Amino acid sequence: MESMTETTPQPSSPRGGRRWGTAAVWVAVLGLLTLVGFGLIRRQQGPVGVGSRMPEFTLTTFDGETIASRDLQGKVLLVNFWASWCIPCEQEAAELEQASQLYSDDEVVFLGVDYVDTETEARAYLARFGITYANGPDLGTRISQAFRIRGVPESYVVGPDGIITSVKIGPYVSLQEIVDSIEAAGGGD
Amino acid sequence: MAGLHTNSHPEPLLLHEAKLRGWSGGAGGGDEVSEGVRGFRPPPLQENPSPLSGDGRWGKRDAWRRRGGQGGEGGTRGAGLLALVTVGLMLAFSTGRASAQEPTPSDDEVNAIARELYCPVCENVPLDVCPTQACAQWRATIREKLVLGWTEPQIQDYFVAQYGDRVLAAPPPRGLNWLVYLLPPVALVAAGLLLWQTMRRWRRAAEQAPIPAAPLEADPYVRRLEEELKRRG
Amino acid sequence: MALVGHFALILTFLAALYGAGAAAYGALRHRPALVESGRHAMVLTWPLITVSAACIIGLLVTGAYQVEYVANVTSQAMPIYLRVTALWGGQSGSLVFWSWLMAAFATAASLRRWDRDRELLPWVVVVTMVTLAFFVSLVLFFENPFRSLWQTIDGAQLSAIFQPAGTLPLVPSDGRGLNPLLRHPGMIIHPPMLYLGFVSFVIPFAFAVAALVVGRSDDRWIRVTRRWTLVAWLFLSLGLILGGRWAYDVLGWGGYWGWDPVEIAAFMPWLTGTAFLHSVMIQEKRGMLKRWNMVLIILTYALVIFGTFLTRSGVLSSVHAFAQSAIGPMFFAFIGVTTVASLSLLLHRWPDLRSENQLGSLLSRESLFLLNNLLFMGILIICFWGVLFPLISELFTGQKVTVGPPFYERATGPLWGGLLLLMGVAPLSAYGRTSARLLGIALWKPLALSLLVPIGLLATGMDSLAAILGYWLAVLVALVTVHEFWRGARARHRTRGESLFVALGRMAGRNRRRYGGYIIHLGVVLMAFGIIGIELFQTETQGSLARGEQLTLGRYVMVYDGVTQWDTADGRNVTRAVVSIYRDGKALGALYPRRDFYYESQQPMTIPGVRSSLEDDFYVILVNWEPIGNQSATFKVYHNPLVNFVWFGGIVFIFGTLLAAWPEREPEPEPRRAQARAPAIAGA
C-alpha cells in the first residue's frame, strides 16, 4: 500500500503555471455554477408578481395602431395573454369583452396580447367572440417574456400607478371575477 | 377527472398542452403531463361525423372542405381543415376557383421549410414533425407564404420577426450568439495545444530515461499469448 | 401501506445519515468499530428502502387511488405489469427507484474482501450514503409518493401524508393513467437502464474519492472498480440505445436522436465514461494519467447528478423535461457542494498524484489514447456548451434561442470521424515506443484494402464527402479489428494446434477485456454504418391520398387501402390505416400505421408502420385522416437506409461489453500479505 508523504520538495518551476491553472479551473467551475444558479433563480421566479411594476412594452394592434404602455399611465389596465389555439382562453373570451364594455370610459383599458399565433387564426378568434378592445400579436414574444408568463391564458391587472394589483393564471371563471379585479385596482364605475 | 383540474389551481398549461400532444416522453411524464391536456379529440364513432371537437367550433367550415378538394396536412383534422379553408380563401380571392392558377405548394415543400424551423411554443420540436394544432397552423402559414411566392429566407425572417430567434434551429450568428460558435473550437484548440505541450514534455522525459517495459500481464496465459503475438507479428 | 412505506423511507434516511457520519468519524478518529457500525447501517438501508419501494408497488398494483402518486400514474385500465413499471413513471417514484438502486449498489460494493483496502471502506460508505441521503431527502421532503388526497369541507383538495384537520379522505374513482408514451416496452426499460448506469458510476467515484482522502496514489481504486465501471458503462449505453429505439418506434418522427437537451444530459456522462474507460487502461499499464483519471471520474459523477438535475428542475426545457418543481434548488446545492468538495480534494492531493509520465513516441498507444480523450472532451464541450447556451442567451440578452441538431451535427461530425480513425489505428500501435515506420507496416494492408470503399462509392456516384469519409473509416476500423482477431487466433493456432475457431473462442475468453473491446468497436462500426445511412441519405415525402391512390418515394410505391377506427379494451381509440408497399414493382406486403388516442389522459400517440430490412426501413406515419365517409388520409413517409445497422450494431456493442465485463479468474492474492495488512486499518 502506498501512502505518499512528501519527502522531496516540490519543483518550483511549474508552481506559477500551477497557480494559473488552479485559478482558471476554479473560475470556470464557479462561473458555470453561478450561471446555472441564475438560470434556476429565473425559472423559480415565476411571472411578474403582484406589487411589482408592470414591464414596459409596445403593442401594435391588428388594426395597425401602436400602443405604448407608457402612454397608459394613470389608467387601470388589464393585459390578457391569449392565443387562438388555446382552448381555455375561449372560456373567458366572452366575459372579457363584456367587462370591457362595462368600462367603456377611458379610465380602464383592456389589452389583449396574442401569444405566438397566426394572424388569420387570431382575427377569426376575435371575430368569433366579437372582441372589440385592442388586440395585437406579441411580436418576437417580447411582451410575454417581459411578463415571464408560463402559458396562456394569463391576465395582469395594473393600477393607475403602474403597479400590478392582480395576476390571474388561467381563465377567469366569471364576469364578476374580472370586475372585482378591476375594482380592486381602482377602476371606478 | 374534470375535478382534478378545476380544484387545483387551473394552470393554463397551454404551453404544456402544445408540448404534450404526442411528445411528453421521458421518465416521469405521468403526473405533470396529463394535467390540462385537451383539445385533440377524434370523432366519437357513434356521433356526428364532424371531424372536430364537439364544441362545433368548426361546424360551418365543413362546407368549405367539401368544396375545397386538396387534402389537409399534418396535425389534427381541424388543422387540416383550417389549412384548407385558408388556402381556399386565398385561392378564392385570387382566382375564384379552388384549382388555382399557381399549383398549391406540396406538403414536401412546406415540410422542407418547416424542417428548418422549430415550434415556437413546444421547445426543441421541429415544425415539420410537431403534431399540435398550433404547429399545423404555422405550417399553413408557410404554405400561404409559399403561395405568395416568398422564398425560404423571407419566410424564416418572417417567423423570426413574429416569434423570436427561438424558431431557428441554431442561433443566428450575431451579437452574443457568436459565443456559441466560437467557444467550442477555441476550447478544443486550446486543449489540443495543452495536450501537445504535455505530450512533448513527456516525450522528452522518456528520451532522458529508459522506458520501463510495459508491465507483464498477471495472467500467465495472457502473457504467453502476448509473447506469441510479438513473435509472430 | 402508505404509512409503512413512508416510515421505511424515514428510517432509510436516518440510516444513511448515520452510516456516513459513523464511517467518517470512525475513520478520522481511528475507531474501526464505528466504521463497521457505519457499514452495517449502509447495508441496512437497502432492505429498508426495498420495503418502501415494495409499498409503492403494492399501492400501484392494488389501485389505491387515494394516494396521489397512484392516482397520477395508474388507472383501472392498466394491466398489472404496467402498474409495476409505473414506479418510475412519475417524478417521486423514479426518485425512490434511483435511491433503491443506490442502496443496492452500495451494499453490493461493500460485499467484497476489503483486506487490501480497509482504509478506503469508510470513505466509500460516506460518499455512497451522502448521495443516497440526498436523494431520499428529496423524496421525503419534496416529492413524497406517499402523500394521500384529502378533501376539505369547502371542496378544496389537499395532499398530505397525514390527515389534515377538518378533512376527509378523497378517493378518486380512477387514476389518470400512465402517460401512453411510457407504455411501450422500450420505454419501460429505458429509464431503469439509464438509472442503473448513472447510479453505478457513483461506485467508482466513491472509491476515487476514498483514495484521495486517504492519500493513496496507486491505481488500486481503479482495479477494484474496473468491473463496476464497465457495468455502469454497459447500462448507460444500453439505456441510450433503448431510448433511441423507443423514439424511433413510437414518437413517430422518423428519427432516433434529436439532440434534445435531456438526451444530451444523459449522453454527457457516457462521453466522460468512455474517455475514462480508455484512459484507466493507461494508468493500469503505465502508471500514467493519475490526475487525469481523477478528473474524469469526478466529471462523470458531476455530470450524472447534473443530468438528473437538468431533467427535473425545469432550468432547460425539452420534450423530456418535467415541470418545474422545488427540487431544482436542492439539486443545484448538492451539485455545487459535491463539485467544490471533490475539486478541493483533488487539488489538495494534486502533488501526490504526480506520475512518471513518459511517452515513448507520439504514435504509441498511450498517445493515441490521449488523443481519444481529447476528442471525447471536445464532443463533451460542444454538448455542454450547446445545452447551456440558451440559458446564457436568455440571462444576458433576454432572447431565447434554440441550439438544435445543425449545431451539434456540424460541430461533432469531424470529431466522430477522428475517433473512428483512432479506432482504426490504435489497435495496431503498441505501448511504449512505436515508430511511424512500424505503425505504417502494420497499417498499410488494411488501409489499402479500405481504400476500395471510397473509390467504389465515388464510382457509384455518391457525392456526400462526409458519407464517403465515414464509410471509409468505418471499413478501416472493421478491417483492423478483424485483423487483430485473426492475428491472435492464428498465433494460438500455430502454437497449440487448435482449430482457428476454437483458438478464437479461447483467446477471446482468456483476454476478455481486449477482445470484448474489439467487439465493441465492431459494434460501433456497424452503428456508424447505420447512422451515416439514415442521417445523410434519409428521404421523406408527405402526401394526401384518396383510397386507392398511391405515392412514390424512390424505389418504393405506397398505395392507400383504407382506414378503420375502433375502441380498445384498455381505454384507447385506435385509427388504423392500411397501406400496401411495392418496391420496383414487387409487392412487399401491407403496413398498418396508426394513431392511438388514450381517453383518460387525452393523449394521442402516433405509431408508424415500418417495413424493416437490413438495407433500409420504409417508415409510414398516419398524419391525418378524414372521417369515415370520405376515407382520404395524409401520410408522411420516410425512407431510412441502413438504419437497422444501428440496432444490430447496438446488440453487438452490448455483447462486446458483456464479454469485457464477464469475470475472469482473478489471480489470487498471496495469503501472507493479507494477514500482514489486517492490523493497519484506518487511513494515512
Side-chain angles (χ1 to χ4, degrees):
Chain A
M1 130 171 130
E2 290 174 66
S3 76
M4 294 299 265
T5 50
E6 298 200 41
T7 50
T8 51
Q10 278 295 314
S12 54
S13 55
R15 176 150 296 173
R18 203 186 125 192
R19 276 228 189 87
W20 274 110
T22 316
V25 166
W26 277 115
V27 163
V29 169
L30 291 176
L32 282 173
L33 283 175
T34 319
L35 266 177
V36 176
F38 272 132
L40 197 60
I41 293 175
R42 201 189 151 85
R43 246 313 154 148
Q44 301 276 343
Q45 241 175 352
V48 174
V50 173
S52 39
R53 182 158 289 279
M54 177 187 73
E56 285 202 5
F57 60 89
T58 320
L59 183 70
T60 311
T61 67
F62 288 115
D63 302 322
E65 213 189 309
T66 310
I67 302 178
S69 63
R70 217 172 313 137
D71 300 338
L72 297 170
Q73 241 177 5
K75 311 197 184 180
V76 171
L77 195 50
L78 190 150
V79 181
N80 172 257
F81 289 91
W82 61 277
S84 67
W85 42 262
C86 155
I87 312 275
C89 301
E90 299 174 9
Q91 293 172 22
E92 59 171 11
E95 278 82 1
L96 280 169
E97 173 58 21
Q98 285 173 31
S100 82
Q101 298 291 352
L102 282 179
Y103 297 98
S104 51
D105 64 344
D106 224 3
E107 292 312 307
V108 180
V109 179
F110 278 63
L111 276 185
V113 180
D114 185 22
Y115 176 70
V116 180
D117 207 346
T118 46
E119 186 167 335
T120 353
E121 309 305 318
R123 284 185 185 272
Y125 180 94
L126 294 173
R128 181 172 150 213
F129 291 100
I131 296 184
T132 57
Y133 58 83
N135 272 271
D138 181 14
L139 288 177
T141 65
R142 273 177 236 126
I143 307 179
S144 45
Q145 277 184 260
F147 277 80
R148 297 198 299 270
I149 70 171
R150 288 276 173 67
V152 279
E154 284 184 18
S155 306
Y156 297 81
V157 180
V158 186
D161 52 356
I163 303 293
I164 297 179
T165 57
S166 94
V167 172
K168 176 72 181 175
I169 310 285
Y172 282 111
V173 295
S174 67
L175 180 58
Q176 191 58 41
E177 198 184 346
I178 306 177
V179 168
D180 290 340
S181 310
I182 296 189
E183 303 283 322
D189 210 30
Chain B
M1 280 310 102
L4 275 168
H5 85 103
T6 54
N7 289 350
S8 54
H9 94 130
E11 296 182 81
L13 294 178
L14 259 299
L15 292 181
H16 293 239
E17 173 192 290
K19 196 193 307 197
L20 294 176
R21 300 219 209 101
W23 235 299
S24 48
D31 34 10
E32 285 76 25
V33 152
S34 328
E35 274 184 58
V37 176
R38 62 189 81 74
F40 177 70
R41 273 190 293 273
L45 287 179
Q46 288 76 13
E47 294 170 39
N48 70 51
S50 158
L52 305 155
S53 54
D55 60 5
R57 177 178 169 181
W58 303 103
K60 297 189 267 287
R61 319 249 186 172
D62 273 32
W64 286 105
R65 170 171 55 85
R66 268 175 233 121
R67 202 206 296 180
Q70 296 280 358
E73 48 149 22
T76 68
R77 294 183 212 186
L81 221 58
L82 178 67
L84 228 64
V85 167
T86 316
V87 173
L89 277 172
M90 298 228 43
L91 296 177
F93 279 120
S94 61
T95 65
R97 277 287 306 157
S99 49
Q101 319 170 307
E102 297 144 4
T104 324
S106 71
D107 288 345
D108 286 345
E109 289 174 7
V110 173
N111 279 341
I113 299 188
R115 206 194 333 241
E116 306 301 320
L117 292 172
Y118 272 71
C119 169
V121 171
C122 8
E123 318 243 357
N124 294 101
V125 175
L127 199 54
D128 64 329
V129 295
C130 173
T132 66
Q133 185 184 337
C135 290
Q137 290 169 4
W138 286 308
R139 286 192 292 267
T141 311
I142 296 179
R143 190 172 288 236
E144 278 173 37
K145 304 300 182 195
L146 280 175
V147 168
L148 287 175
W150 288 27
T151 62
E152 176 162 8
Q154 286 178 307
I155 297 180
Q156 285 193 351
D157 288 342
Y158 172 76
F159 268 79
V160 169
Q162 287 281 316
Y163 309 117
D165 282 341
R166 191 179 2 164
V167 298
L168 294 175
R174 58 161 177 266
L176 188 68
N177 296 341
W178 279 114
L179 212 54
V180 79
Y181 296 108
L182 292 179
L183 192 132
V186 164
L188 191 60
V189 166
L193 281 175
L194 192 63
L195 184 64
W196 176 249
Q197 285 197 338
T198 315
M199 281 167 72
R200 285 224 329 250
R201 194 166 15 110
W202 291 353
R203 179 103 213 294
R204 263 180 272 130
E207 278 164 9
Q208 288 153 16
I211 291 268
L216 297 175
E217 279 282 353
D219 188 336
Y221 292 105
V222 177
R223 208 186 311 149
R224 239 183 285 157
L225 174 64
E226 296 216 43
E227 287 169 19
E228 287 159 11
L229 281 177
K230 239 181 281 181
R231 249 184 293 137
R232 307 270 166 186
Chain C
M1 223 194 298
L3 289 179
V4 171
H6 179 64
F7 279 118
L9 217 50
I10 295 181
L11 289 176
T12 312
F13 181 61
L14 293 174
L17 282 181
Y18 175 74
Y25 193 73
L28 292 171
R29 291 271 181 269
H30 304 278
R31 306 248 295 263
L34 210 49
V35 172
E36 201 50 29
S37 163
R39 178 162 164 266
H40 290 154
M42 171 172 85
V43 174
L44 197 58
T45 57
W46 189 53
L48 284 174
I49 198 166
T50 306
V51 166
S52 192
C55 286
I56 300 182
I57 294 181
L59 291 170
L60 289 169
V61 166
T62 56
Y65 295 119
Q66 192 197 353
V67 176
E68 190 181 21
Y69 185 68
V70 178
N72 280 347
V73 298
T74 60
S75 64
Q76 302 280 30
M78 279 169 59
I80 301 261
Y81 78 92
L82 268 186
R83 286 158 173 270
V84 173
T85 68
L87 172 64
W88 54 84
Q91 172 99 286
S92 37
S94 63
L95 285 174
V96 171
F97 185 59
W98 213 104
S99 310
W100 181 76
L101 286 174
M102 185 76 254
F105 287 164
T107 307
S110 77
L111 295 176
R112 52 182 296 279
R113 281 206 305 261
W114 283 94
D115 318 330
R116 287 156 80 180
D117 323 294
R118 266 281 127 174
E119 59 204 344
L120 296 179
L121 173 62
W123 303 106
V124 171
V125 172
V126 167
V127 171
T128 50
M129 287 301 103
V130 164
T131 310
L132 178 64
F134 170 67
F135 277 92
V136 174
S137 71
L138 286 181
V139 177
L140 269 181
F141 303 118
F142 293 93
E143 297 275 342
N144 199 317
F146 298 111
R147 279 187 296 224
S148 298
L149 294 168
W150 313 95
Q151 190 158 38
T152 63
I153 307 173
D154 29 325
Q157 195 176 289
L158 299 170
S159 102
I161 300 179
F162 301 104
Q163 186 163 9
T167 63
L168 289 171
L170 169 63
V171 186
S173 52
D174 198 359
R176 282 197 208 146
L178 192 62
N179 184 336
L181 291 170
L182 300 180
R183 301 188 197 198
H184 179 265
M187 200 48 204
I188 288 176
I189 52 175
H190 159 69
M193 286 297 124
L194 277 183
Y195 290 171
L196 277 167
F198 284 165
V199 176
S200 319
F201 267 118
V202 177
I203 306 294
F205 173 72
F207 275 87
V209 167
L212 282 178
V213 171
V214 150
R216 284 179 76 148
S217 66
D218 61 352
D219 64 351
R220 182 75 193 140
W221 67 273
I222 294 181
R223 287 190 184 275
V224 160
T225 55
R226 184 201 290 184
R227 191 144 290 118
W228 278 105
T229 308
L230 209 45
V231 167
W233 190 76
L234 166 68
F235 283 124
L236 198 49
S237 312
L238 193 52
L240 289 167
I241 295 174
L242 283 174
R245 178 71 209 212
W246 166 74
Y248 189 73
D249 273 354
V250 151
L251 287 187
W253 42 277
Y256 52 87
W257 184 262
W259 293 104
D260 175 271
V262 169
E263 288 171 354
I264 298 175
F267 189 54
M268 289 195 286
W270 184 87
L271 289 170
T272 53
T274 313
F276 180 68
L277 268 183
H278 287 89
S279 128
V280 291
M281 284 193 238
I282 305 287
Q283 184 168 344
E284 287 186 39
K285 288 257 175 355
R286 299 288 312 280
M288 290 166 53
L289 303 182
K290 293 183 188 177
R291 295 164 171 171
W292 180 240
N293 285 326
M294 283 292 178
V295 170
L296 278 178
I297 192 64
I298 292 175
L299 253 185
T300 308
Y301 178 80
L303 286 171
V304 160
I305 307 289
F306 190 63
T308 316
F309 161 69
L310 283 184
T311 63
R312 288 174 157 75
S313 68
V315 168
L316 303 171
S317 302
S318 84
V319 295
H320 283 76
F322 303 130
Q324 174 212 341
S325 72
I327 62 178
M330 289 285 292
F331 259 108
F332 177 71
F334 187 69
I335 291 176
V337 166
T338 51
T339 307
V340 167
S342 315
L343 196 59
S344 310
L345 198 53
L346 179 61
L347 287 174
H348 177 63
R349 292 290 184 203
W350 194 256
D352 298 340
L353 291 173
R354 167 171 282 273
S355 32
E356 289 301 313
N357 288 328
Q358 294 173 344
L359 270 185
S361 131
L362 289 176
L363 289 172
S364 61
R365 192 174 287 199
E366 301 93 307
S367 303
L368 296 181
F369 272 33
L370 283 172
L371 215 54
N372 150 310
N373 270 220
L374 177 69
L375 291 177
F376 272 114
M377 287 299 112
I379 299 175
L380 177 72
I381 291 175
I382 292 169
C383 288
F384 190 74
W385 188 238
V387 152
L388 208 55
F389 188 74
L391 180 64
I392 293 176
S393 169
E394 192 178 341
L395 280 177
F396 287 101
T397 66
Q399 256 292 27
K400 290 194 195 177
V401 291
T402 306
V403 178
F407 172 79
Y408 293 108
E409 286 166 3
R410 267 179 238 146
T412 59
L415 297 179
W416 294 119
L419 281 171
L420 270 182
L421 181 61
L422 280 177
M423 274 205 289
V425 175
L428 299 174
S429 108
Y431 287 100
R433 293 191 195 282
T434 302
S435 70
R437 196 177 133 265
L438 283 176
L439 195 56
I441 291 177
L443 188 57
W444 81 269
K445 268 191 253 176
L447 187 61
L449 207 56
S450 71
L451 282 172
L452 291 176
V453 169
I455 295 173
L457 289 177
L458 281 168
T460 61
M462 186 179 288
D463 57 352
S464 160
L465 186 64
I468 294 175
L469 277 177
Y471 284 130
W472 168 52
L473 288 172
V475 169
L476 176 65
V477 175
L479 286 172
V480 167
T481 314
V482 168
H483 180 68
E484 283 297 294
F485 276 101
W486 165 252
R487 260 194 345 142
R490 197 182 56 181
R492 214 184 147 94
H493 159 77
R494 284 208 191 128
T495 52
R496 289 165 205 277
E498 290 168 353
S499 77
L500 276 175
F501 208 55
V502 174
L504 199 66
R506 292 248 176 92
M507 170 190 73
R510 284 265 172 242
N511 201 349
R512 291 177 197 182
R513 197 158 73 148
R514 167 185 299 180
Y515 290 100
Y518 287 156
I519 295 178
I520 295 176
H521 284 185
L522 283 178
V524 172
V525 163
L526 291 172
M527 292 178 79
F529 272 126
I531 292 174
I532 296 173
I534 184 178
E535 294 297 326
L536 296 177
F537 297 108
Q538 182 188 50
T539 53
E540 65 176 83
T541 187
Q542 180 171 317
S544 300
L545 302 173
R547 254 180 137 174
E549 279 188 349
Q550 67 188 48
L551 60 72
T552 313
L553 180 63
R555 292 156 61 192
Y556 286 87
V557 168
M558 181 183 93
V559 177
Y560 169 45
D561 294 332
V563 72
T564 50
Q565 201 172 50
W566 71 94
D567 279 339
T568 63
D570 51 351
R572 55 193 166 110
N573 176 279
V574 175
T575 309
R576 193 182 76 166
V578 184
V579 296
S580 307
I581 313 294
Y582 301 85
R583 183 173 62 188
D584 303 327
K586 204 179 78 153
L588 293 178
L591 293 178
Y592 305 94
R594 60 180 215 264
R595 179 79 73 99
D596 290 356
F597 184 77
Y598 287 79
Y599 286 119
E600 60 206 352
S601 50
Q602 298 272 297
Q603 259 205 294
M605 255 178 63
T606 312
I607 316 283
V610 186
R611 186 196 165 264
S612 300
S613 71
L614 209 55
E615 185 190 338
D616 58 23
D617 262 11
F618 191 75
Y619 186 102
V620 182
I621 302 172
L622 176 63
V623 167
N624 203 359
W625 64 93
E626 301 205 349
I628 307 293
N630 284 11
Q631 293 271 322
S632 97
T634 310
F635 296 97
K636 189 156 191 194
V637 174
Y638 290 95
H639 177 243
N640 299 330
L642 298 180
V643 68
N644 291 299
F645 276 89
V646 177
W647 318 123
F648 185 52
I651 294 176
V652 172
F653 187 102
I654 299 301
F655 174 68
T657 318
L658 282 172
L659 178 65
W662 208 259
E664 301 181 29
R665 266 177 280 145
E666 299 269 25
E668 312 281 14
E670 291 90 309
R672 286 179 290 122
R673 250 189 276 159
Q675 271 182 17
R677 274 176 228 270
I681 298 178

